[in-house]
Amino acid sequence: MAGLKYISGFGNELASEDPRCPGSLPEGQNNPQVCPYGLYAEQLSGSAFTCPRSTNKRSWLYRILPSVCHKPFTPMSCGDLTENWNEVAPDPNQLRWKPFNIPKSSEKKVDFISGLHTVCGAGDSKSRNGIAIHMYTCNTSMIDKCFQNADGDFLIVPQQGEILITTEFGKMMVEPNEICVVQQGMRFSIDVFGETRGYILEVFGAHFELPDLGPIGANGLANPRDFQTPVAWYEDRTVATGYTVVNKYQGKLFSCQQDFSPFNVVAWHGNYTPYKYNLENFMVINCVAFDHADPSIFTVLTAKSTRPGVAIADFVIFPPRWGVADHTFRPPYYHRNCMSEFMGLIKGHYEAKEEGFQPGGASLHSIMTPHGPDVDCFEKNSTAALKPERVAEGTMAFMFESSFSMAVTKWGLDTCQRLDKSYYKCWEALKSHFNPNWKPSSK
């Protein structure tokens, strides 16, 4: 949207005030006896008060009315949103979904909340340790309604249709090939402009951060300067018919009513904010000699577990890049992994499975389930001339990788009717090339 402004930087101490109210940020303290313009001071804490300074997350919001002014929360229908990982039997097979259906607005109006569908997940929001993966498929904007996730952070990956996200901190326009993170407890509303689809990675008990770079050095992958946080914007709006706040709490949905817009924050400061990132800005690190490097070099964001080097979830992308490795099978190798790998496709064709894996679809290769290139990919790349070439041009695939053994929901296995039950056939034509009489060539 033209005119939207952002502040650059990841995890910084930031400050913003709506230009309509200059001087609305208190000077020298957080909660003066009387705030400028008669505002209320409210702190939003994203970490324990006693966390080390490097991991302490909080922001101060200066608002027209505090968020406590609402009627009691009451349960509401959760639709296809769930945290019940035992509703169907476990399935260790390779799973692939065709593009998920988007409801037609002429048939039924579906907003972001009612269009949430849980595909898989593990862990528990009550114990603050887990993960969930959702699809959103919607066709209409949220009207006098906002969403708050008390359980964890949402990493949103639009695939079709741009989304305008209004938050307590300001507005963000997020388009396909961009991502955004709305952290735990932040209220937001989503406007759409037609049939809209995307993916959501939800983590309980941790926040996303930039991965450590190790020997890469000080620069590379997703650079902090390319992350953008919205600037303060407020509306002082009374809603006589009632404004609905939907709260995701302990895996269930609840709603309450209030008579004013929650986006009444005139100014804010802190380091706990929503933010967005354009995937085109990712600085790719890749193999320049031989062999296929591990996909961890493509990590954009990570949510760390308490075990060093092991993530609750990593967000990994496979962007356009050069392939130059010598005497190497360049596509992803055959693999069994102690992690779960959920893949999605924003646009283009994924190099290891150019036909069946489509934009708006997905795949899940669970812990220790074998996977790898299909027969066409293997045969073509086993004999290809190894010259420098562009890989994944016009494509953006991504992976949600997790140390959790994720269960697939009933919606994912059955209700959505998008599971590709012939997926296993893409490997059936692989044949043995074993030659017991092979001898190394003489040099």
Side-chain angles (χ1 to χ4, degrees), residues 42 44-47 57-61 63 67 112 146-154 156 165-170 172 181-189 207 229-230 245-248 262-263 268 270-275:
E42 178 178 296
L44 179 63
S45 293
S47 66
K57 296 181 179 294
R58 57 83 187 95
S59 286
W60 281 92
L61 312 177
R63 54 197 322 151
S67 56
F112 175 81
C146 73
F147 187 79
Q148 168 187 302
N149 186 359
D151 290 337
D153 289 10
F154 268 0
I156 302 174
I165 307 180
T166 301
T167 77
E168 294 170 280
F169 294 78
M172 299 186 292
V181 172
V182 182
Q183 304 193 74
Q184 181 188 8
M186 297 175 179
R187 295 181 174 178
F188 66 97
S189 182
H207 295 299
T229 294
V245 178
V246 178
N247 185 16
K248 182 177 178 291
F263 306 120
W268 58 264
N271 65 349
Y272 189 55
T273 67
Y275 53 88

Side-chain angles (χ1 to χ4, degrees), residues 10 155 179 181 208-213 220-223 227 275 277-279 282-283 295-303 314-319 396-399:
F10 186 89
L155 189 160
I179 62 163
V181 172
F208 290 102
E209 54 187 282
L210 295 175
D212 296 326
L213 293 179
L221 309 188
N223 289 310
F227 288 81
Y275 53 88
Y277 174 75
N278 189 327
L279 300 180
F282 189 81
M283 178 188 164
S296 49
I297 61 171
F298 301 120
T299 302
V300 180
L301 292 168
T302 184
D314 287 328
F315 174 60
V316 178
I317 63 173
F318 302 98
M396 186 62 76
F398 68 87
M399 179 167 64

Side-chain angles (χ1 to χ4, degrees), residues 53-327:
R53 184 180 288 266
S54 62
T55 58
N56 210 301
K57 296 181 179 294
R58 57 83 187 95
S59 286
W60 281 92
L61 312 177
Y62 300 93
R63 54 197 322 151
I64 296 167
L65 279 173
S67 56
V68 73
C69 296
H70 63 81
K71 302 295 185 184
F73 283 104
T74 57
M76 60 179 285
S77 170
C78 295
D80 295 317
L81 199 67
T82 184
E83 200 180 293
N84 180 3
W85 312 128
N86 298 311
E87 58 182 351
V88 291
D91 188 341
N93 286 299
Q94 301 95 346
L95 301 177
R96 183 169 69 188
W97 289 269
K98 301 172 185 177
F100 293 95
N101 292 325
I102 308 174
K104 302 289 185 184
S105 57
S106 58
E107 299 172 2
K108 183 180 181 181
K109 293 193 179 299
V110 178
D111 66 15
F112 175 81
I113 296 175
S114 55
L116 287 171
H117 312 276
T118 307
V119 181
C120 57
D124 177 31
S125 60
K126 295 177 186 176
S127 61
R128 312 292 300 119
N129 188 32
I131 179 178
I133 294 174
H134 317 281
M135 294 295 302
Y136 68 88
T137 53
C138 54
N139 55 38
T140 193
S141 300
M142 295 167 62
I143 299 174
D144 291 338
K145 183 190 298 183
C146 73
F147 187 79
Q148 168 187 302
N149 186 359
D151 290 337
D153 289 10
F154 268 0
L155 189 160
I156 302 174
V157 184
Q159 185 274 318
Q160 177 177 318
E162 57 190 11
I163 54 176
L164 175 62
I165 307 180
T166 301
T167 77
E168 294 170 280
F169 294 78
K171 293 174 177 279
M172 299 186 292
M173 181 67 82
V174 188
E175 302 176 0
N177 223 42
E178 294 182 317
I179 62 163
C180 70
V181 172
V182 182
Q183 304 193 74
Q184 181 188 8
M186 297 175 179
R187 295 181 174 178
F188 66 97
S189 182
I190 288 185
D191 287 338
V192 300
F193 308 91
E195 295 180 359
T196 305
R197 177 174 56 204
Y199 310 81
I200 298 175
L201 171 59
E202 179 183 14
V203 294
F204 315 135
H207 295 299
F208 290 102
E209 54 187 282
L210 295 175
D212 296 326
L213 293 179
I216 293 174
N219 307 290
L221 309 188
N223 289 310
R225 65 175 294 191
D226 293 324
F227 288 81
Q228 297 182 308
T229 294
V231 298
W233 174 87
Y234 78 90
E235 59 179 6
D236 183 12
R237 183 164 67 92
T238 300
V239 185
T241 55
Y243 195 102
T244 302
V245 178
V246 178
N247 185 16
K248 182 177 178 291
Y249 176 76
Q250 295 186 3
K252 303 291 185 181
L253 294 184
F254 299 82
S255 67
C256 71
Q257 296 293 309
Q258 58 189 47
D259 61 4
F260 62 95
S261 167
F263 306 120
N264 62 354
V265 177
V266 177
W268 58 264
H269 76 84
N271 65 349
Y272 189 55
T273 67
Y275 53 88
K276 70 174 222 172
Y277 174 75
N278 189 327
L279 300 180
E280 290 184 1
N281 290 327
F282 189 81
M283 178 188 164
V284 180
I285 303 291
N286 204 7
C287 170
V288 295
F290 60 89
D291 280 353
H292 186 99
D294 294 330
S296 49
I297 61 171
F298 301 120
T299 302
V300 180
L301 292 168
T302 184
K304 295 179 180 178
S305 75
T306 55
R307 290 178 287 164
V310 179
I312 292 174
D314 287 328
F315 174 60
V316 178
I317 63 173
F318 302 98
R321 58 200 183 276
W322 281 98
V324 297
D326 291 325
H327 43 86

